[in-house]
Amino acid sequence: MRRINGTALVIVALVGTLGALAFPVWSYADRAGTGPANLAAGTVQTKWGPLTATDRDLIVRVRLAGLWELPAGQQALERSPSPAMKEAADHLIVGHTDLDKRVRGVARDLGVELPNQPNEQQQGWLQQMTNASDADYPKVWANLLRSAHGKIFPAIGAVRNQTRNTLVRQLASDANQTVLDHITVLEKTGAVDFEAIANDSVAGTTASPSGPAAPVPGVVPSSAPPAAATGDVSTTSRPSPGAPGTVNTNRPDPEDPDATPTSQ
C-alpha cells in the first residue's frame, strides 16, 4: 500500500510540475505586453463591433487632417501660385469636407470625442506655409502636405486590415481613397521633392535593404509571361475606373452627422 501511495504521489507531483510549466504557455495570449493583450487593452464593445484604441486613434487623426488641410487648401487658392496647385487645393478642400462629415458621423455613433483645432505640429506646418516667400511657397506647401499624407497612408491600411468595427472599416476605406487622391494631385504640382520624402521615410532605420537583386547595366531580363486565369472563365468586374493618374473618389454622400445619434 505504501508503494502504491508513493507512486501516486510521484505521479501527482509530475502532473503538477507539468501543469505549472504549461500554464504560462496556455495563458500567454492574455499576458500584458503580448499582441492579443495589447489589442484588447482599451477595447470597448459597440453594436458595430469592438472599438480598439487604434481604431479611435484613426478616427481622431482623420478629423485632425481636415482641421489643418482645409485651411492649407484655402490658403493656396488665395495665393494662387499655379493651376496645378489650385487643382490640388481644390481636392484638399472637397476631400476633407467630405471626410470630415463622415468622421463626425462615425465619432458620434461610437462616442469618440473629436478635437476642434489642429495639433501643435500641424499648426506649425500652417505657420511655415504662411511664412514662406512667394518663391518658396509652392515647394513648402506641396512637400509638407505630401509628407503628411504619405505618413498616414500606411496607418490607414493597417487599421483597414485589422479593425473588427464596421464603421471604422468603412471610414478607413473612404480615407484611403481620399489620401491617395491627394497624394496624386500634390505630386502633379511638380513641387514634391521625392528625394527628401524618401530620406525622411527611412530616417532612424537600421535594417539592411532587401528585395530582388539590382539590375545589371546593359542586361535586358527575359520577358515575364502574363498572369491570367486558365480555361473558360467568365468575369464581369473591371479594373478600377478613372484615367491614369487619377483616383476615383466618387461615392454616395454621407449622412448628416448632426442628425439624431444612432443608439449603440
Side-chain angles (χ1 to χ4, degrees), residues 75-122:
Q75 183 187 88
L77 286 180
E78 292 167 353
R79 295 185 70 162
S80 304
S82 72
M85 285 189 66
K86 287 183 179 180
E87 179 189 19
D90 183 277
H91 279 239
L92 290 177
I93 293 171
V94 171
H96 281 291
T97 299
D98 174 83
L99 264 189
D100 189 70
K101 186 181 293 185
R102 296 174 189 277
V103 76
R104 286 188 296 120
V106 170
R108 176 205 64 195
D109 288 344
L110 295 176
V112 177
E113 184 175 357
L114 295 176
N116 291 318
Q117 64 178 10
N119 63 32
E120 185 176 350
Q121 183 182 50
Q122 293 163 340

Side-chain angles (χ1 to χ4, degrees), residues 13-28 31:
L14 287 173
V15 170
T17 301
L18 290 173
L21 291 172
F23 179 75
V25 177
W26 296 337
S27 63
Y28 187 73
R31 295 175 65 189

Side-chain angles (χ1 to χ4, degrees), residues 143-224:
N143 281 281
L144 283 171
L145 285 161
R146 172 60 179 79
S147 177
H149 280 82
K151 288 175 180 176
I152 198 173
F153 203 34
I156 293 170
V159 172
R160 178 62 179 79
N161 173 58
Q162 71 185 36
T163 186
R164 294 162 289 167
N165 188 285
T166 56
L167 293 184
V168 175
R169 188 176 301 120
Q170 184 58 55
L171 178 65
S173 295
D174 294 336
N176 183 71
Q177 282 184 307
T178 300
V179 170
L180 182 56
D181 172 62
H182 292 175
I183 285 175
T184 303
V185 292
L186 286 166
E187 292 173 351
K188 287 171 65 177
T189 65
V192 173
D193 185 345
F194 291 102
E195 191 73 23
I197 296 282
N199 288 329
D200 181 58
S201 68
V202 296
T205 60
T206 57
S208 300
S210 59
V216 179
V219 176
V220 179
S222 57
S223 297

